[in-house]
Amino acid sequence: MEQATIEESSLSLAERASLPVGGPVEFQLLPKQYQFVTSNALEVLYSGALGAGKTKALCIRALIRAQHERARVGITRKYLSDLKATTLKTLLEWDGDCPPVLAEGTYKSIRAGAEYYYQLHGGGQIIPFGCDDEQKIGSLNLSDCLVDEAIELDERSWNMLMGRCRVTFKMPDGSRSIPTIAAATNPGPPNHFLYQRFFLDPETDPTLKLVLQTTSFENWFLPPAFFTRYRTLTGTTRQRYLMGEWCSFEGAVFPMFSTQKHEVHRTGPFLYHIAGVDVGFTHPTAVRVHGIDPQRRSHVREEFYKAGVQVSEIVAACYAFSNRYRPVTFVVDPSQPAVIKALKHRGMHVKMAENDVADGLRVLSDALYTEADDAKPELTFEPGLRGTREYMSYQWQDGVIREQPIKTKDDAIDADRYAMMEKRKKSMLRMLFRTVGGPEPKAEDSTSQESESLDESVPAEDLDRYFEAAR
């Protein structure tokens, strides 16, 4: 394969890849399509809205991965009939003015009994099959596997496909090929295993997993009529089908959460900081630093979000936050006395969290909700924080609104719950201090190390006594 080139087009940045099969073939790709077709990560997910070019990218990746004569590239969907009606048409047939990905004369169709595959001239094989035939899956040995509409699969099928990707061969540069599994899909509900696997899994090594998320608006090749047709979509339907977001239609604890509205960049000023600390070992430990502004809105500025950590690493992360954000109170899961003791030993201001789940979720929901689309919510998040993704997948038990959610993948939510409950406590105290003429906190410059806070003005134990008396 020739080196890919990047050029400016009249539309925007275009990335082109030239392939030598049957003469030079040039594809004009969107930037995220290019990332998808060229990635060597062991698992790749291309998640996109309507019209994001997912199937086209999948077929081009099949062509690229099948260049070597020993390559055996599987291409699949849950049902073989759907694969033939959709994916293989993009691979083999004209689509309007768009030619097929496999140009006529560059391959030969070979059928052996009920099985068939496409043999590339001078290259390897592309093998179509359906995941509804588990017996056939169990007999496959593949160098790569490509899955279209992966949202249709369950985790068992995904694991079976991964197990079939084990064929390797020597590349022209002397290296060994890397068996991969790559999928293209529309977004679905956040409790789907793909969302859990690619968006919530704390694994961050891009050589192991890569997820690419795209919207309809990123495809500059779409005609204006496409957007005219879907301009009336609103709410969750718009989020999923135009913005490419994984969101729930029912059963969500936080249906009001939106990445567009709640993930925003803010610089302050902030009066003080509260850091919620939820401790995990097999699941992530989450430390989420909330900056509280003069309007009493909370903005999650930074996080520590990592699984398999020891107490010493948690303390080190909190100590770094205590130096970066002054003043800050750490509100810790009350079931973790060792962490509380270790933080206090390092001189940090620590309080035990209020751990009423139902009350805490109501506080979070109220903080996320806004009456009008252009209103500013009480709780926002700095973009790019991994823990914030939990808000999209958090579900009530049995998909109905109850007092108890499904307690999984909620480490950042728990940390935010602790912080927001503490913020509510401070807000109530502020009203009491105003009544008795107490001191007002001053706004903090984000770089200042000398700012005053409510907790510096009044000893922490006095605040607690005042709060208890008020209740």
Side-chain angles (χ1 to χ4, degrees):
M1 183 175 69
E2 297 179 4
Q3 191 71 23
T5 62
I6 301 177
E7 303 177 359
E8 288 291 335
S9 75
S10 59
L11 294 168
S12 182
L13 180 69
E15 296 181 334
R16 300 168 183 270
S18 297
L19 304 174
V21 178
V25 178
E26 190 174 74
F27 297 102
Q28 191 174 55
L29 302 175
L30 300 167
K32 288 181 181 177
Q33 286 180 317
Y34 181 80
Q35 285 182 266
F36 176 74
V37 303
T38 59
S39 172
N40 282 322
L42 298 183
E43 297 180 65
V44 190
L45 180 68
Y46 187 35
S47 170
L50 296 174
K54 302 180 293 294
T55 300
K56 185 68 169 285
L58 190 86
C59 291
I60 293 173
R61 182 179 173 91
L63 176 58
I64 292 175
R65 304 298 291 192
Q67 293 301 292
H68 195 280
E69 61 181 7
R70 295 179 184 173
R72 292 176 53 84
V73 178
I75 188 166
T76 187
R77 192 170 168 175
K78 182 172 179 63
Y79 299 106
L80 181 60
S81 58
D82 291 338
L83 183 76
K84 292 178 178 179
T86 57
T87 316
L88 294 187
K89 286 185 177 295
T90 301
L91 184 70
L92 304 173
E93 300 178 10
W94 281 80
D95 181 10
D97 292 332
C98 296
V101 172
L102 283 186
E104 188 176 352
T106 64
Y107 68 94
K108 181 179 180 180
S109 296
I110 297 179
R111 180 177 293 276
E115 299 183 358
Y116 67 97
Y117 59 89
Y118 306 109
Q119 177 69 54
L120 273 60
H121 299 326
Q125 300 172 2
I126 296 178
I127 307 167
F129 64 95
C131 288
D132 49 340
D133 188 349
E134 291 191 357
Q135 185 175 355
K136 182 172 183 178
I137 294 176
S139 65
L140 291 171
N141 287 312
L142 303 173
S143 55
D144 296 276
C145 185
L146 301 172
V147 186
D148 202 7
E149 276 308 310
I151 193 70
E152 300 170 341
L153 301 190
D154 56 25
E155 191 167 15
R156 180 172 178 271
S157 296
W158 182 268
N159 290 334
M160 286 183 64
L161 294 175
M162 283 201 304
R164 310 320 301 174
C165 297
R166 52 193 181 185
V167 174
T168 65
F169 42 82
K170 188 175 181 180
M171 302 291 285
D173 62 2
S175 64
R176 301 293 300 181
S177 64
I178 301 173
T180 68
I181 180 170
T185 191
N186 288 311
N191 61 350
H192 194 277
F193 86 90
L194 284 175
Y195 186 85
Q196 306 286 328
R197 187 179 193 89
F198 283 92
F199 289 88
L200 296 186
D201 192 316
E203 176 58 64
T204 57
D205 186 345
T207 65
L208 299 180
K209 289 180 186 175
L210 174 66
V211 58
L212 300 165
Q213 196 170 13
T214 184
T215 72
S216 301
F217 300 99
E218 293 178 63
N219 186 353
W220 55 70
F221 298 116
L222 288 174
F226 175 89
F227 297 102
T228 301
R229 184 182 306 123
Y230 294 109
R231 71 184 185 278
T232 58
L233 294 181
T234 60
T236 306
T237 305
R238 176 183 174 84
Q239 285 180 258
R240 183 181 288 189
Y241 294 132
L242 283 184
M243 305 311 299
E245 295 183 12
W246 292 66
C247 51
S248 296
F249 288 118
E250 59 182 25
V253 176
F254 302 110
M256 72 294 290
F257 177 81
S258 165
T259 56
Q260 281 73 39
K261 177 180 292 187
H262 294 99
E263 291 189 288
V264 296
H265 176 61
R266 293 183 58 199
T267 57
F270 298 102
L271 296 173
Y272 56 91
H273 291 82
I274 304 172
V277 182
D278 185 68
V279 180
F281 294 99
T282 57
H283 56 93
T285 287
V287 182
R288 305 262 287 182
V289 181
H290 291 236
I292 313 303
D293 71 12
Q295 287 73 43
R296 311 299 178 253
R297 292 191 298 260
S298 178
H299 182 67
V300 183
R301 303 182 67 181
E302 195 173 352
E303 72 175 359
F304 175 83
Y305 189 77
K306 186 178 179 182
V309 297
Q310 301 299 316
V311 172
S312 58
E313 192 171 354
I314 299 171
V315 172
C318 291
Y319 188 73
F321 287 146
S322 71
N323 287 326
R324 192 149 54 246
Y325 302 106
R326 295 186 180 181
V328 57
T329 298
F330 292 92
V331 188
V332 186
D333 180 350
S335 67
Q336 298 295 329
V339 175
I340 294 172
K341 182 177 180 180
L343 293 176
K344 287 183 174 180
H345 183 72
R346 290 296 300 271
M348 286 172 263
H349 183 206
V350 184
K351 304 185 77 172
M352 286 196 297
E354 294 186 38
N355 202 14
D356 185 323
V357 175
D359 194 21
L361 293 181
R362 281 192 289 271
V363 169
L364 286 177
S365 295
D366 290 344
L368 292 169
Y369 178 75
T370 58
E371 291 283 352
D373 289 339
D374 58 350
K376 294 181 179 179
E378 181 186 346
L379 175 60
T380 55
F381 311 88
E382 197 66 20
L385 302 180
R386 290 177 59 82
T388 304
R389 294 170 177 170
E390 293 178 0
Y391 283 86
M392 300 176 67
S393 63
Y394 209 38
Q395 300 280 314
W396 295 109
Q397 290 183 8
D398 300 324
V400 297
I401 297 180
R402 295 183 176 181
E403 292 298 307
Q404 292 299 323
I406 301 172
K407 290 293 291 176
T408 182
K409 302 288 186 181
D410 59 354
D411 309 286
I413 289 173
D414 283 348
D416 290 345
R417 179 163 55 84
Y418 302 153
M420 292 298 288
M421 292 286 280
E422 180 66 17
K423 170 181 169 290
R424 183 180 70 166
K425 180 177 177 179
K426 290 180 183 291
S427 296
M428 294 176 68
L429 288 168
R430 177 177 296 280
M431 291 188 290
L432 290 172
F433 284 136
R434 283 177 177 171
T435 302
V436 299
E440 283 288 326
K442 297 179 181 179
E444 172 204 359
D445 186 304
S446 61
T447 61
S448 171
Q449 300 296 311
E450 304 296 334
S451 302
E452 294 182 2
S453 75
L454 186 60
D455 288 342
E456 289 178 331
S457 303
V458 182
E461 58 271 20
D462 289 348
L463 293 181
D464 292 338
R465 283 199 296 271
Y466 214 126
F467 180 69
E468 291 298 329
R471 287 204 298 186

